[in-house]
Amino acid sequence: MQSTVAVVTMVRDDLFFLDIWLRHYGRIFGRENLYIINHGRGEDVARLAEGCNIIGIPGDPHKNFDMKRWRLLNNMVMGLRSYYDHVIVGDVDELVVIDPEDGRTLLEFLNDARKGRVLTPLGLELIHRIDVEDQPVTDHLLGPRMHVRLAPHYSKPCVVSVGTKIARGGHFTQFDKLFTPDSLFLLHLKFCDFGEYVGAMNRRNQITQDIGGSVQEISIGRHWFPDARGEDRALFDDFAQMEMVPGFDMRPYRKKMHRSFGPRGETGFYQFNRPDYALQFRLPDRFKGVL
């Protein structure tokens, strides 16, 4: 199949998200171009990802989890860049999608794109509006779920075709220019299904309990800790209270990213402002079936 785009992720036990990740990227790029770091060498992960490039690593509890994870992902991305034009990297619940209005597949878009850049798709969080979306997720995610909230925190520089360093969490790089193609979005799936959210948070809370230590010692997101979790049902009920913005014009938000883009202090990384918008949109019907 194609040999211009590779996709890299790390996963441990998140089979619901891995299945969606595999179907999305496998259909576009071919499984032989997908690279999965199997944290803990899970048998279910290996079975589900058959045909991909699977790298098993130990899953013993340890501190500095996220720091070590992104050191490995960084080195994977830079190594694969020697063999591919573009490398997409991110968590298993983050997917780069192209607006069907563009008329090209994601592979066709990237084959047409200029190399030597880092692309930053606009971040959208797919949310389960449990008050109006009662259909289960089966063979398609977009259709049963069509609501998103604007999520600058997930506008990540995740499509790489140049030598650079990616910061822990994937939020920043040392590339000093910002490219935000109008057709590209990064969909974050953490809140796409209430039942799956509860299961995933239970697993993540257990990991931090097994490791022991503080947020700083473990070097992982605060949301992995039980005391920062809150009440699950109330969290999803609150989605209905966010302002619904008519239409689907994301150009103003991309412009704000560009206006605030600049050095992240003395770190060598670059960033843009990431305000906490309490805004939601309904995806246009053309997105149905994309995932």
Side-chain angles (χ1 to χ4, degrees):
M1 203 179 169
Q2 65 87 26
S3 59
T4 59
V5 181
V7 192
V8 182
T9 195
M10 181 184 287
V11 63
R12 176 171 182 160
D13 299 331
D14 283 330
L15 301 182
F16 172 78
F17 296 121
L18 178 60
D19 180 54
I20 297 170
W21 189 94
L22 287 166
R23 284 189 279 129
H24 177 59
Y25 286 130
R27 182 181 69 251
I28 300 170
F29 302 119
R31 285 194 171 210
E32 66 272 24
N33 298 299
L34 307 185
Y35 293 80
I36 297 170
I37 300 168
N38 184 2
H39 184 209
R41 299 191 178 96
E43 294 181 1
D44 289 336
V45 169
R47 173 186 51 78
L48 195 60
E50 184 178 0
C52 302
N53 303 283
I54 305 171
I55 303 168
I57 62 171
D60 301 331
H62 56 80
K63 293 181 171 59
N64 296 320
F65 170 81
D66 221 24
M67 188 181 302
K68 294 176 181 177
R69 180 168 73 106
W70 275 97
R71 182 184 300 154
L72 177 55
L73 289 171
N74 247 313
N75 288 325
M76 281 282 296
V77 170
M78 291 303 105
L80 289 171
R81 258 200 63 252
S82 301
Y83 299 91
Y84 292 90
D85 292 338
H86 302 273
V87 181
I88 300 173
V89 60
D91 294 343
V92 74
D93 62 354
E94 299 168 357
L95 299 178
V96 178
V97 300
I98 189 166
D99 190 330
E101 194 172 56
D102 182 90
R104 292 172 288 181
T105 67
L106 183 55
L107 174 59
E108 291 168 341
F109 176 91
L110 292 176
N111 282 340
D112 291 341
R114 185 176 298 179
K115 314 304 185 290
R117 295 180 169 184
V118 175
L119 304 183
T120 303
L122 185 76
L124 298 174
E125 199 148 41
L126 188 65
I127 56 176
H128 184 185
R129 283 284 306 276
I130 55 178
D131 57 321
V132 294
E133 294 176 333
D134 58 359
Q135 295 300 309
V137 173
T138 54
D139 56 335
H140 286 104
L141 179 58
L142 295 183
R145 308 288 180 264
M146 291 295 287
H147 292 81
V148 295
R149 67 176 177 183
L150 197 59
H153 188 69
Y154 290 99
S155 295
K156 293 186 176 183
C158 61
V159 185
V160 180
S161 63
V162 69
T164 189
K165 184 178 180 181
I166 306 169
R168 188 183 79 202
H171 297 285
F172 319 106
T173 73
Q174 293 184 343
F175 190 66
D176 63 356
K177 295 181 177 62
L178 180 62
F179 295 99
T180 59
D182 287 345
S183 299
L184 294 191
F185 298 93
L186 186 66
L187 286 186
H188 183 225
L189 309 183
K190 178 180 178 179
F191 300 106
C192 74
D193 186 83
F194 176 68
E196 291 296 337
Y197 170 83
V198 173
M201 291 305 296
N202 288 342
R203 291 191 298 273
R204 291 173 184 181
N205 290 168
Q206 188 61 53
I207 289 172
T208 56
Q209 289 178 351
D210 291 343
I211 296 173
S214 67
V215 176
Q216 291 76 21
E217 290 172 327
I218 299 178
S219 295
I220 200 168
R222 186 175 297 276
H223 60 280
W224 282 56
F225 288 78
D227 58 359
R229 180 170 174 178
E231 204 283 309
D232 296 336
R233 181 79 189 197
L235 174 64
F236 279 75
D237 284 339
D238 285 347
F239 291 152
Q241 308 307 315
M242 292 188 300
E243 178 185 350
M244 176 66 76
V245 180
F248 190 67
D249 183 5
M250 297 296 156
R251 290 173 297 180
Y253 309 106
R254 289 189 177 92
K255 288 179 180 177
K256 289 182 179 180
M257 291 165 61
H258 282 268
R259 283 199 294 267
S260 64
F261 185 72
R264 183 173 169 80
E266 302 298 321
T267 64
F269 293 99
Y270 288 80
Q271 67 173 17
F272 45 83
N273 292 342
R274 299 182 294 170
D276 187 14
Y277 294 107
L279 304 176
Q280 65 174 308
F281 302 78
R282 190 186 185 281
L283 290 171
D285 285 345
R286 62 180 181 268
F287 280 89
K288 288 183 177 179
V290 168
L291 292 179

